[in-house]
Amino acid sequence: MDQDVDITKSRWGDLTFISRYKHFAHLTDPSNCLKSDEQLEGARDVVQKYKSDGTMPVGGVDSLWSAKYLYESAFHPETGDKQNVIGRMSFQVPGGMIITGILMAFYKGPLEVFLGQWLNQSFNALVNFTNRSGDKPLPNSVILSAYFTATSLLLLPLLV
């Protein structure tokens, strides 16, 4: 029975809002950002071993699902590369809260607004870079051009 687990799909399916919510809540759980490299590599090993030969981990089905969601939260789905912590989707809520606090605390002068917005745009650019499609590598010139365009355009409202 344990061998019938299909970890290429969601544990709860995708037919209802609640099932999709549970799936994405596990993928984007901020506590995943606190996992050590050893835990991440262990999750990768469990998932790859199960995919290759069907070996169930010692903890059974629950351990397999936990490893799957930890693995998918930290490794790029196309390249298999470990993503940087700040760019992972599981860091969106804590990262956004920190930046929102900074934006709310420092808003009185143009320089403070500029630096806060630059930080926000840089964070968003890093998240987009980390979660980009991995099927076709981009040259560094394209990546840098996109970053500088996104962060420099925030100057326009300050110049008006």
Side-chain angles (χ1 to χ4, degrees), residues 74-117:
F75 293 90
H76 194 279
E78 293 175 356
T79 65
D81 296 336
K82 190 184 307 176
Q83 299 173 321
N84 64 70
V85 174
I86 296 172
R88 293 180 195 162
M89 296 309 289
S90 54
F91 192 75
Q92 278 289 88
V93 170
M97 288 173 51
I98 292 167
I99 291 172
T100 300
I102 290 169
L103 291 171
M104 290 173 63
F106 304 103
Y107 66 91
K108 295 186 179 178
L111 180 61
E112 294 166 321
V113 170
F114 168 75
L115 291 175
Q117 293 300 327

Side-chain angles (χ1 to χ4, degrees), residues 17-73:
F17 172 79
I18 295 297
S19 62
R20 291 187 298 274
Y21 172 80
K22 287 180 180 179
H23 172 75
F24 288 106
H26 277 76
L27 273 179
T28 60
D29 179 1
S31 70
N32 290 341
C33 295
L34 303 174
K35 304 295 183 188
S36 68
D37 284 341
E38 293 81 27
Q39 290 171 303
L40 297 177
E41 294 299 330
R44 181 191 352 217
D45 292 344
V46 166
V47 169
Q48 288 178 341
K49 192 158 181 64
Y50 183 79
K51 284 181 177 179
S52 68
D53 61 13
T55 301
M56 187 63 66
V58 175
V61 175
D62 287 337
S63 289
L64 178 62
W65 282 113
S66 294
K68 171 231 182 359
Y69 281 105
L70 181 56
Y71 169 73
E72 288 184 356
S73 77

